[in-house]
C-alpha cells in the first residue's frame, strides 16, 4: 500500500488515526453509523487528468501510453499544495494527513482498506460501506476481495468502469474490539 495509515490507542480510551494517500478507514459505531475517512486528494487531482486514459481499453498500447503520461502528470503534483500527499520520499507529507480520535467504547469495528479493496464502493458502485461491513462481518476480507476480483474480471478492458489497472492490489484489515 502506498499510503501511510495507522491507529493507536490513546491511554486505552480512544483510537487515534492517521490516513494519507489512497486508503480508506471505516469507523463503524456501536450506534450503527459508519464513518469513512478517505484521503480523496489523489482521486480529485486524478479525475482532472484521466480523460485520455479512461477513453481507451485497458491493456492496449494506446492505453499504456496514455497511462504513462497520466502518471508523469501526477508525479508533478505529488506532495505539493493543490496536489496530493503520500508518505515515502517526503516525511513531511504526514503533516497533511487526515487525523482524528474516537472513543474506543463507541466503536463496533475498525476497517482499513487499500483503494483496490474499496473499488466495489467508490469505483464500481456495486456496494456501499454498510454492505462492505456486512460482508466483512459474515465472511471476512477474503470474500470482499473475491467480490472485487469478480467485478474486475467482468470488465477486463475497463469499458464499464474506466481505470488505470484492470486489477489493483487489495488489502483489508478488519478489527472488532473486544467488549
Amino acid at each position: 500500500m502506498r499510503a501511510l495509515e495507522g491507529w493507536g490507542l490513546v491511554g486505552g480510551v480512544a483510537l487515534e488515526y492517521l490516513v494519507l494517500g489512497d486508503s480508506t478507514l471505516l469507523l463503524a459505531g456501536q450506534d450503527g453509523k459508519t464513518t469513512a475517512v478517505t484521503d480523496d486528494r489523489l482521486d480529485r487531482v486524478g479525475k482532472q487528468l484521466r480523460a485520455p486514459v479512461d477513453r481507451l481499453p485497458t491493456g492496449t498500447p494506446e492505453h499504456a501510453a496514455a497511462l504513462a503520461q497520466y502518471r508523469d502528470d501526477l508525479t508533478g503534483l505529488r506532495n505539493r499544495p493543490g496536489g496530493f500527499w503520500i508518505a515515502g520520499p517526503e516525511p513531511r507529507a504526514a503533516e497533511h494527513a487526515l487525523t482524528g480520535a474516537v472513543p474506543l467504547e463507541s466503536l463496533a469495528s475498525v476497517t482499513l482498506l487499500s483503494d483496490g479493496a474499496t473499488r466495489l464502493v467508490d469505483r464500481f458502485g456495486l456496494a456501499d460501506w454498510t454492505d462492505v461491513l456486512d460482508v466483512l462481518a459474515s465472511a471476512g476480507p477474503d470474500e470482499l476481495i473475491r467480490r472485487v476480483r469478480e467485478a474486475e474480471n467482468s470488465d477486463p478492458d475497463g469499458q464499464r468502469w474506466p481505470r488505470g489497472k484492470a486489477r489493483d492490489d487489495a488489502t483489508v484489515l478488519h478489527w472488532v474490539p473486544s467488549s
Side-chain angles (χ1 to χ4, degrees):
M1 197 181 309
R2 295 180 309 264
L4 171 67
E5 54 295 296
W7 52 63
L9 299 180
V10 179
V13 177
L15 177 88
E16 186 177 279
Y17 63 83
L18 179 147
V19 177
L20 182 67
D22 55 359
S23 58
T24 296
L25 179 66
L26 293 181
L27 301 169
Q30 294 285 356
D31 61 2
K33 294 180 184 173
T34 300
T35 301
V37 181
T38 301
D39 183 355
D40 66 350
R41 290 173 284 194
L42 175 57
D43 287 338
R44 283 187 283 157
V45 168
K47 283 181 184 176
Q48 299 169 4
L49 305 172
R50 287 192 61 86
V53 176
D54 291 345
R55 284 193 295 266
L56 299 165
T58 302
T60 63
E62 296 82 10
H63 183 268
L67 187 59
Q69 181 61 53
Y70 168 74
R71 287 183 178 145
D72 287 346
D73 293 343
L74 280 181
T75 298
L77 296 169
R78 182 179 299 137
N79 294 334
R80 304 254 186 275
F84 61 98
W85 299 88
I86 59 169
E90 179 56 56
R92 294 187 60 209
E95 296 171 10
H96 300 275
L98 307 177
T99 61
V102 293
L104 272 176
E105 74 268 358
S106 71
L107 294 171
S109 69
V110 178
T111 307
L112 182 63
L113 304 108
S114 68
D115 62 336
T118 63
R119 282 182 158 191
L120 280 180
V121 175
D122 58 16
R123 174 73 59 182
F124 305 150
L126 297 174
D128 61 23
W129 296 124
T130 300
D131 299 328
V132 166
L133 291 172
D134 289 346
V135 169
L136 292 171
S138 65
D142 287 346
E143 176 60 15
L144 179 64
I145 293 171
R146 187 197 68 74
R147 292 181 187 195
V148 169
R149 296 295 180 233
E150 181 178 73
E152 290 169 334
N153 292 337
S154 75
D155 181 37
D157 297 330
Q159 295 301 295
R160 181 175 180 194
W161 301 298
R163 54 199 189 271
K165 299 181 250 182
R167 292 172 60 119
D168 198 1
D169 61 356
T171 304
V172 178
L173 180 101
H174 183 66
W175 175 55
V176 177
S178 57
S179 310

